[in-house]
Amino acid sequence: MSVAKKEYKRITVKSLVDMKKRGEKISMLTAYDFTMAKIVDGAGVDVILVGDSASNVMAGHETTLPITLDQMIYHASSVVRAITRSLVVVDIPFGSYQSDPKEALRSAIRIMKESGGHAVKVEGGKEIKESVKRILNAGIPVMGHLGLTPQSIYKFGTYTVRAKEEEEAKKLKDDALLLEKAGCFAIVLEKVPAKLAQEVAESLTVPVIGIGAGNGVDGQVLVTHDMLGMTHEFNPRFLRRYLDLYSDMTGAFESYIDDVKSGDFPNDSEQY
Ligand code: KIV
């Protein structure tokens, strides 16, 4: 059992800020369904992200753009039913907060009311400041997301490392400060140079959670299906695989097929 699991009965946004103060790293993983969330929560992960990466991982889309608010609420409510301890953060999907702050608030309220999630996550800085403030004013905790923001993939054109140049690095630092000042309780930094990420983490009082952002930040997040080795074709440098489930599952399915074809399954003790 992890140290954090013993320390906190239930993770809140305040627990995360306390962890940063105490120098305790924050663990965060994605989940999109009841069964996975139950395992992740039971293992003691601090934050479960119902990411819009569900669009890729669960639905097979090339990007995160197609997933809808209704679909995110479906995934999030399945996760919420499974958890006893983790903080559940839900991505507001593309097209549900960018056009105006009132729409952003409506989307955030739907997520909180219909899924039972504990907080929402949005991508971007200055451009979405008013939406972030509007959501926060309603008492809904907001996690920011800067660096590589997959909802803007068609603007970037590629999934390569962001903010390598001075100008973009400066904008990222300004945006991080702006999100903290607006009241965000944490910020995800995706695929940016480790040195820049550390600088940002050191300049903020709220936790910075990295994915492909090095070890100088306050916590780490990975997509669960990637770290379990279920997604073979995705191989970024930042990904540490803890299992090779793709191979293990393939082996199990092949054994099942063989057993069915040979008549070995079910045997005498597996029938009524
Ligand atoms: O949707 C997602 O899974 C995410 C993480 C990669 C941070 O936003």
Side-chain angles (χ1 to χ4, degrees):
M1 189 191 286
S2 70
V3 179
K5 195 171 170 182
K6 283 186 200 145
E7 190 88 13
Y8 296 95
K9 264 195 138 154
R10 187 112 213 179
I11 302 291
T12 64
V13 296
K14 189 179 168 299
S15 328
L16 300 185
V17 178
D18 288 348
M19 284 182 194
K20 170 158 182 155
K21 271 194 203 139
R22 295 197 285 112
E24 178 186 336
K25 298 265 188 180
I26 296 162
S27 59
M28 172 159 144
L29 283 172
T30 58
Y32 321 111
D33 69 310
F34 178 87
T35 304
M36 187 71 88
K38 209 169 173 57
I39 302 171
V40 173
D41 176 78
V45 160
D46 299 314
V47 185
I48 294 184
L49 173 65
V50 185
D52 58 2
S53 51
S55 179
N56 313 92
V57 179
M58 302 305 282
H61 292 296
E62 209 175 299
T63 72
T64 58
L65 276 66
I67 199 160
T68 65
L69 186 57
D70 284 339
Q71 288 165 341
M72 287 302 298
I73 290 169
Y74 167 77
H75 286 298
S77 55
S78 308
V79 166
V80 168
R81 282 193 286 276
I83 60 105
T84 59
R85 176 184 173 276
S86 308
L87 182 83
V88 178
V89 180
V90 185
D91 265 334
I92 309 188
F94 175 72
S96 307
Y97 63 97
Q98 288 91 348
S99 61
D100 79 84
K102 277 189 190 158
E103 191 201 21
L105 177 57
R106 266 196 303 275
S107 302
I109 287 176
R110 276 202 62 200
I111 287 174
M112 301 298 283
K113 253 181 138 56
E114 296 176 38
S115 78
H118 308 136
V120 297
K121 177 163 83 59
V122 286
E123 296 184 4
K126 194 168 164 223
E127 314 75 20
I128 57 156
K129 183 174 127 191
E130 294 310 319
S131 295
V132 168
K133 281 188 175 167
R134 185 69 75 111
I135 299 169
L136 284 162
N137 280 342
I140 300 171
V142 179
M143 176 181 272
H145 184 155
L146 298 170
L148 175 65
T149 46
Q151 292 180 8
S152 308
I153 189 59
Y154 289 114
K155 185 171 106 186
F156 300 144
T158 112
Y159 285 99
T160 53
V161 180
R162 305 302 313 171
K164 279 162 91 175
E165 307 301 330
E166 190 51 41
E167 196 182 336
E168 195 180 339
K170 173 157 184 348
K171 175 167 168 27
L172 188 144
K173 287 190 246 180
D174 292 346
D175 279 343
L177 272 175
L178 176 147
L179 291 174
E180 173 170 88
K181 271 201 186 136
C184 287
F185 70 91
I187 295 172
V188 165
L189 274 191
E190 180 164 354
K191 239 180 165 182
V192 298
K195 190 165 166 286
L196 171 66
Q198 180 163 359
E199 234 180 276
V200 173
E202 285 170 357
S203 73
L204 301 183
T205 56
V206 298
V208 171
I209 302 184
I211 173 163
N215 204 9
V217 290
D218 308 302
Q220 299 293 328
V221 54
L222 284 176
V223 169
T224 298
H225 290 67
D226 295 338
M227 61 85 82
L228 293 178
M230 294 173 88
T231 48
H232 253 192
E233 57 295 328
F234 184 61
N235 282 305
R237 187 205 294 201
F238 67 75
L239 175 59
R240 183 179 292 182
R241 286 214 166 88
Y242 289 82
L243 287 174
D244 181 9
L245 273 193
Y246 189 96
S247 303
D248 291 350
M249 289 172 79
T250 303
F253 297 144
E254 285 171 353
S255 299
Y256 169 75
I257 295 164
D258 288 349
D259 290 352
V260 170
K261 299 276 182 194
S262 69
D264 178 72
F265 176 79
N267 63 25
D268 287 349
S269 66
E270 291 162 333
Q271 58 196 346
Y272 302 97

